[in-house]
Amino acid sequence: MRPDEKLRVVVLEDEWVARNFLVEMIEATGIASVVGAMETFDEAVSFMSKAPSSIDVVFVDINLVGSSHNGLELIQQFVKRPGAPAFVLATALREHALEAFEMGVVDYVLKPFDERRVLKCLEKLHAARRNSDYASEPSRPLRIIARNKRNLVFLNLGEVWAVEASEGMTQVHSGRGTFDIDISLDTIATSFGRDFLRVHRNWLVSEEHVLELERDSGESALLVGSRSPDGSSLRVPIARDRLSNLRARLMHEGVGVRRR
């Protein structure tokens, strides 16, 4: 298993022997790597606050000797945050199970720790992460298929200048011509959102093909099209409420003009 596929685990356990034993068992599974092992509540809070996105699972003991806080408070502090890791209670106390699961704890491992029990817990979490990764990466269309009378036209995204919704129709504009498509502008935006800029409720444009931002007349517009000297172009209106953000986006990675 590649290192980037392993679960990244933090252990909060105040007893040195129990902490090291749990770390050894986690590492021995081969599907997880311990990135931090802490003795105190404050150490855990500090570590997790600095790098929350680099932690997948936190094993938490409840009673922390010498601390005014307990492991449940750590869970309460982080469990609802965006991108929070999964929390596993690793404790000798059985009576907190219901409270823990209501908080959002995903598993409850009792002391004395058992290698098979720790492995089962991590296998479940690893499988859940893989399923979540697949679910968060839906298949993405590779091209747009348009109609030219009875013919089908296959357009790579790099060929598309803009997409327009007009009078109940959706059309795609490209250097090869303008063609009809059978899906809505919103569907195109959902499928290829990062490739197009929404400049108007009726228009999406390819940032790659933006040539000019026109601001001479009462209505601002973008000129999109081919960058070749003899290439054609298309004028696309910009909605007034989108102009400021659009200008900032287009100027973000360029130099030459002051950003005012």
Side-chain angles (χ1 to χ4, degrees):
M1 178 178 294
R2 299 197 313 269
D4 61 345
E5 291 181 335
K6 291 185 177 182
L7 293 170
R8 297 160 298 183
V9 179
V10 165
V11 173
L12 173 58
E13 165 61 61
D14 65 313
E15 296 179 10
W16 183 88
V17 174
R19 184 170 64 253
N20 281 273
F21 186 42
L22 182 55
V23 167
E24 289 175 1
M25 283 193 291
I26 291 170
E27 293 279 357
T29 65
I31 61 174
S33 178
V34 176
V35 296
M38 290 85 189
E39 178 181 1
T40 70
F41 176 92
D42 290 338
E43 288 174 334
V45 168
S46 176
F47 185 88
M48 293 175 63
S49 297
K50 291 176 182 176
S53 62
S54 64
I55 303 168
D56 297 309
V57 186
V58 184
F59 281 76
V60 182
D61 190 13
I62 294 179
N63 285 342
L64 303 172
V65 176
S67 174
S68 59
H69 301 281
N70 61 47
L72 294 176
E73 292 176 72
L74 180 81
I75 296 168
Q76 287 175 325
Q77 185 167 331
F78 286 93
V79 72
K80 299 299 183 182
R81 295 187 183 185
F87 286 92
V88 176
L89 270 188
T91 179
L93 303 176
R94 297 175 178 269
E95 61 269 24
H96 293 281
L98 179 59
E99 179 185 2
F101 285 118
E102 287 178 346
M103 267 186 207
V105 168
V106 299
D107 207 344
Y108 203 100
V109 178
L110 288 171
K111 296 179 180 179
F113 299 131
D114 177 86
E115 294 178 0
R116 288 175 298 177
R117 181 66 182 88
V118 171
L119 175 60
K120 182 179 178 181
C121 169
L122 291 172
E123 285 178 336
K124 179 176 69 174
L125 292 171
H126 191 266
R129 187 182 71 172
R130 289 178 62 87
N131 290 337
S132 175
D133 288 344
Y134 292 140
S136 65
E137 297 178 3
S139 59
R140 171 178 153 90
L142 299 178
R143 55 182 173 263
I144 294 175
I145 304 173
R147 288 185 289 104
N148 182 14
K149 297 180 180 178
R150 298 185 64 183
N151 297 338
L152 295 179
V153 181
F154 298 91
L155 296 165
N156 293 326
L157 289 184
E159 298 179 84
V160 177
W161 298 350
V163 185
E164 176 188 11
S166 177
E167 299 179 352
M169 299 288 293
T170 308
Q171 294 182 311
V172 57
H173 300 272
S174 73
R176 293 162 56 187
T178 297
F179 308 103
D180 296 330
I181 55 177
D182 297 329
I183 57 178
S184 70
L185 201 70
D186 287 339
T187 301
I188 291 290
T190 300
S191 300
F192 305 105
R194 61 177 174 265
D195 296 289
F196 292 97
L197 304 172
R198 190 70 175 255
V199 301
H200 189 282
R201 63 186 178 88
N202 292 330
W203 284 92
L204 297 169
V205 300
S206 167
E207 185 173 1
E208 177 185 349
H209 291 286
V210 173
L211 304 175
E212 294 183 25
L213 170 60
E214 298 180 352
R215 297 188 295 168
D216 293 335
S217 61
E219 181 185 63
S220 298
L222 285 178
L223 200 65
V224 299
S226 172
R227 297 188 182 278
S228 62
D230 56 348
S232 56
S233 60
L234 173 72
R235 189 174 185 274
V236 177
I238 303 172
R240 186 173 301 175
D241 61 347
R242 296 179 182 269
L243 178 60
S244 178
N245 288 339
L246 176 64
R247 184 179 186 276
R249 166 81 176 266
L250 292 173
M251 296 186 67
H252 177 63
E253 294 183 348
V255 296
V257 176
R258 284 195 292 271
R259 291 162 171 79
R260 58 180 184 272

